[in-house]
Amino acid sequence: MFAGIPSNSARTQLESLSPPISFPHNQIHFSCETMSGIEKLPDELQLATAAHVKYIQSLDTRKDEYDYWLTEHLRLNGLYWGLTALHLLRHPNALPRDKTIDFVLSCQHESGGFGAAPGHDAHLLCTVSAVQILVLVDALDELEKRGKGNGKAQVGKFIANLQNRETGTFAGDEWGEEDTRFLYSSLNALSLLGLIHLVDIDKAVHYIAACTNPDGGYGVSPGAESHSGQIFTCLAALSIAGRKDLIDVDKLGGWLSERQVACGGLNGRPEKVEDVCYNWWVLSSLEIIGRTHWVDREKLIKFTLTCQDTEQGGLSDRPGNMADVWHTVFGLTGLSLLEYPGVEEIDPVYCLPKYTTARVFGSAK
């Protein structure tokens, strides 16, 4: 989702959301080890805003291509990723608002939940993306008027029914898979809708606490390995619940800061390669606990900028690979948290622009 972490099978198909790119001809590559200072980056590696905007606008224009239909199961999530990226690039109106709202509402089921595209089963990860999109375009009133059943209340009921009332965690859909991604997604969406009272927050917090590991991190479930993505979901959920007091800030901050590797990029867990998407999972977690300064800002910015395709637009996981909308948005969220010029401020808990969460919750959130 957005804000969630797609399964491994889903992530392997993300590159299909963008056209093939011939990198040897249109992208300049630089070794992280040879760059010293952001000011030494060539003009080609400044943030290519116009190219990124054009790239995102092109993603829904390739309906005659096979790859477009292979990624239909990511359509609603992809719209959230692209729209958030456009807001961060300060082009919030680059996609048509009316068509965006129409598509989101076309994905809703009578249960209140949303599927990835019309005709797809309802799932929590799609539902939180739907809510985030409607919040981004300030259209929750359209959900009230045109949504299934009782508007926001119907969505809230769908989400609340997915909570395991014994353990406090949440399933992703009617088939019962449970994951801290789903717990966070539920609190994210319900709080945006003003309906968080529908679920048992204390039990959800208790479940998150049970997922804590000796290294200060969190896993997908109690006893599971610490992972940057799951750490974000747990920290953000605790933030929404008002229970950041449960976090071992320094121990966790140390683990997260060790995710930065020699070239400046971040990985998700020890002994793994760097990936631009961890700009979000690691930095947002560090921002939540006030430890963003524990990573090398300059090296991470340079690594991120080398992952751009400056002509066709978009960012990839690592320099030289194909760009996709997933890595584009999370590369940009990282630049935002690093206070890179020209990038809108992101809310580290909701993965929405700060001006959006300020509109929903008030500036004192």
Side-chain angles (χ1 to χ4, degrees):
M1 55 174 273
F2 72 96
I5 310 162
S7 64
N8 290 335
S9 61
R11 288 193 62 193
T12 60
Q13 298 179 56
L14 285 168
E15 65 272 13
S16 301
L17 290 169
S18 58
I21 297 170
S22 179
F23 283 93
H25 300 292
N26 67 9
Q27 185 169 354
I28 298 175
H29 304 298
F30 294 84
S31 167
C32 292
E33 290 78 6
T34 63
M35 294 186 295
S36 58
I38 295 172
E39 71 282 353
K40 294 186 179 181
L41 288 170
D43 290 343
E44 290 86 350
L45 285 180
Q46 302 304 313
L47 185 62
T49 298
H52 299 325
V53 171
K54 186 176 180 180
Y55 162 72
I56 294 167
Q57 290 176 315
S58 76
L59 291 175
D60 201 45
T61 65
R62 300 174 183 272
K63 297 180 181 180
D64 59 341
E65 296 181 7
Y66 183 54
D67 286 349
Y68 179 89
W69 298 106
L70 282 179
T71 57
E72 188 177 50
H73 65 291
L74 297 172
R75 194 75 70 230
L76 192 56
N77 300 135
L79 177 57
Y80 160 72
W81 298 329
L83 187 60
T84 300
L86 290 170
H87 277 255
L88 294 179
L89 292 167
R90 298 179 176 171
H91 286 72
N93 300 315
L95 296 180
R97 181 177 185 272
D98 289 347
K99 290 184 178 180
T100 296
I101 297 169
D102 289 345
F103 175 75
V104 171
L105 295 178
S106 74
C107 298
Q108 192 179 23
H109 288 246
E110 295 294 335
S111 65
F114 291 78
H120 285 241
D121 290 346
H123 194 282
L124 186 52
L125 297 185
C126 300
T127 301
V128 68
S129 286
V131 171
Q132 289 172 307
I133 293 167
L134 294 174
V135 168
L136 271 171
V137 299
D138 196 11
L140 288 180
D141 59 326
E142 293 294 323
L143 177 61
E144 288 287 82
K145 290 187 293 186
R146 300 164 50 195
K148 305 293 186 182
N150 296 317
K152 291 191 295 184
Q154 195 78 3
V155 180
K157 181 180 178 181
F158 170 80
I159 296 172
N161 285 342
L162 292 172
Q163 186 174 31
N164 183 325
R165 296 290 173 162
E166 293 184 7
T167 66
T169 193
F170 288 76
D173 57 22
E174 62 181 303
W175 308 112
E177 179 190 6
E178 295 180 344
D179 187 323
T180 48
R181 291 177 301 163
F182 308 147
L183 190 159
Y184 162 69
S185 298
S186 298
L187 300 193
N188 179 314
L190 288 173
S191 59
L192 289 171
L193 294 171
L195 299 173
I196 200 165
H197 62 277
L198 295 178
V199 296
D200 190 327
I201 297 297
D202 290 340
K203 282 196 173 181
V205 168
H206 180 77
Y207 185 85
I208 296 170
C211 295
T212 310
N213 288 321
D215 56 19
Y218 300 82
V220 68
S221 59
E225 176 187 13
S226 294
H227 185 281
S228 298
Q230 306 305 147
I231 288 170
F232 161 74
T233 63
C234 291
L235 295 192
L238 289 173
S239 297
I240 294 171
R243 293 302 312 272
K244 289 170 61 176
D245 59 293
L246 297 177
I247 303 167
D248 189 332
V249 171
D250 287 340
K251 183 181 287 188
L252 178 56
W255 189 93
L256 289 167
S257 65
E258 290 173 357
R259 304 282 59 77
Q260 189 164 36
V261 299
C263 75
L266 301 165
N267 62 22
R269 51 197 168 112
E271 305 302 322
K272 297 297 181 178
V273 297
E274 67 280 1
D275 187 320
V276 156
C277 73
Y278 292 112
N279 279 22
W280 172 249
W281 312 114
V282 174
L283 283 177
S284 60
S285 298
L286 287 170
E287 183 73 14
I288 288 170
I289 63 174
R291 297 293 186 273
T292 310
H293 59 288
W294 283 14
V295 297
D296 189 320
R297 173 181 179 272
E298 184 177 288
K299 290 184 72 174
L300 184 51
I301 288 174
K302 288 186 291 186
F303 169 76
T304 304
L305 293 175
T306 62
C307 295
Q308 297 183 106
D309 178 355
T310 57
E311 292 189 9
Q312 299 295 327
L315 282 80
S316 59
D317 56 351
R318 286 175 287 279
N321 289 345
M322 183 181 293
D324 60 64
V325 67
W326 159 270
H327 288 96
T328 298
V329 66
F330 291 125
L332 291 172
T333 58
L335 291 177
S336 174
L337 291 168
L338 294 167
E339 300 181 346
Y340 188 84
V343 181
E344 195 61 51
E345 288 186 271
I346 192 76
D347 188 307
V349 173
Y350 286 90
C351 200
L352 292 169
K354 282 190 174 180
Y355 58 70
T356 299
T357 53
R359 169 167 47 80
V360 175
F361 299 112
S363 57
K365 180 187 76 71

